Amino acid sequence: MKLSDLFSREGLSLSFEVFPPKTDTVFESVRQATEEIATLRPAFMSVTYGAGGGTSRYTLDIAKNIKERYGVPTLAHLTCVSSTRETVHEKIEAMRAAGIQNVMALRGDIPADVSDAARAGWAYSHAVELVRELKSFGDEFCVGGACYPEVHPESANQREDIRYLREKVEAGCDFLTTQMFFDNNLFYNFLYKIREAGITVPVIPGIMPITNGNQVERAIKLSGSLMPQRFKALVDKFGTTPAAMKQAGIAYATDQIIDLFANGIKNVHVYSMNKPDVAAAIQQNLSDILG
Ligand code: FAD
């Protein structure tokens, strides 16, 4: 199923993100966790892709397994930064052969130690180029792009970020998924601005349940997200008590999702991080709302 069909439907939906194993030794445990999440029957599941080779090997295996064994639509991520055109084309052909219909087209992060000279030789500079290549197959792929309510860290300002986002959408993105955020008002402001800039595709907010005090610093560093006072207080109070932090983090994410649904958003994506218990708890909290 193409996600564009899902997003055009009435009704509220929840989807979950998982990441593939980094090594062969944990493949089985990761596969099991992703299958447990699939049994929750989310609207779809996305499977991330490691830039620079990291965890890219198994993205397709995990996405195919979820789709074929559980009938859950999957969204396979693909990054292009530091990849050759041949590698990217091989990945695209492998996705076609596996019947993957939904692809998240990403640039990927630029490794810290890479020189400008090396970068100048790369085949791809931005995600927009990958979007164009995927769309050269006509409507075979439903293509997603990333967007940043709090501005991508490399952008000079939001106006510039939105200008490039519009270019990416015009290249063929069928929908956008946001970076995590902890203050819904930032998302509403962003949505207003991109609609004003003429971007009309569905925008799926990405919500990260922070269930572990140690996760906070890394999540904030990766995303550049602001921590609202209400969220800070919760981490200060419960961050060192694992069970309490987990309960509080799930409640905070649930509250964000309810507010999004109450304000007209139909589809929310949860960065469930291979944690079936967290995904199940959020889904259970929303059982009557999701209907
Ligand atoms: P781009 O759209 O290329 O944007 C990157 C920067 O370049 C922005 O500042 C943008 O404004 C600017 N820009 C865009 N086009 C141009 C242009 N033509 N000229 C000049 N500047 C331009 N990373 C992974 O490695 N694997 C994953 O699976 C993964 N999944 C993600 C899922 C989501 C929903 C999000 C939000 C991020 C994900 N990331 C993932 C992280 C992502 O790869 C990084 O945030 C990366 O730094 C930017 O990727 P992008 O696709 O947004 O890049």
Side-chain angles (χ1 to χ4, degrees), residues 48-49 77 107-109 126-127 148 152 155 161 164 167-168:
T48 64
Y49 184 94
H77 290 203
R107 185 196 68 179
D109 282 322
H126 294 101
Y148 303 84
H152 186 271
S155 288
D161 208 23
Y164 287 126
E167 186 185 38
K168 189 159 71 174

Side-chain angles (χ1 to χ4, degrees), residues 17 47-51 77-79 104-110 125-129 145-148 152-156 160-162 164-165 167-168 177-180 222 269 271:
E17 179 157 300
V47 187
T48 64
Y49 184 94
H77 290 203
L78 179 62
T79 67
M104 187 73 178
L106 297 145
R107 185 196 68 179
D109 282 322
I110 309 288
S125 309
H126 294 101
V128 63
E129 296 154 47
C147 65
Y148 303 84
H152 186 271
E154 289 166 36
S155 288
E160 183 187 285
D161 208 23
I162 292 178
Y164 287 126
L165 184 63
E167 186 185 38
K168 189 159 71 174
T177 306
T178 76
Q179 180 60 283
M180 69 182 85
L222 275 176
H269 196 51
Y271 294 119

Side-chain angles (χ1 to χ4, degrees), residues 255-275:
D255 192 42
Q256 272 192 286
I257 298 170
I258 292 174
D259 181 72
L260 290 163
F261 284 153
N263 282 286
I265 301 300
K266 291 193 305 176
N267 314 97
V268 175
H269 196 51
V270 178
Y271 294 119
S272 49
M273 308 281 292
N274 299 1
K275 292 179 184 159

Side-chain angles (χ1 to χ4, degrees), residues 6 28 44-45 59-60 62 71 94 107 113-114 127 140 146 164 170 172 179 184 190 212-213 234 237 248 255 273 288:
L6 172 77
E28 267 315 303
F44 72 92
M45 285 170 69
T59 299
L60 198 53
I62 297 283
R107 185 196 68 179
D113 52 357
V114 80
E140 188 163 341
Y164 287 126
E170 284 172 350
Q179 180 60 283
N184 287 4
F190 172 71
N212 171 338
L234 177 157
K237 178 79 179 170
D255 192 42
M273 308 281 292
D288 287 334

Side-chain angles (χ1 to χ4, degrees), residues 1-23:
M1 181 205 212
K2 287 210 175 125
L3 298 188
S4 44
D5 293 335
L6 172 77
F7 300 144
S8 66
R9 285 186 191 165
E10 289 304 315
L12 307 178
S13 84
L14 209 58
S15 50
F16 295 120
E17 179 157 300
V18 295
F19 56 85
K22 286 197 173 66
T23 58

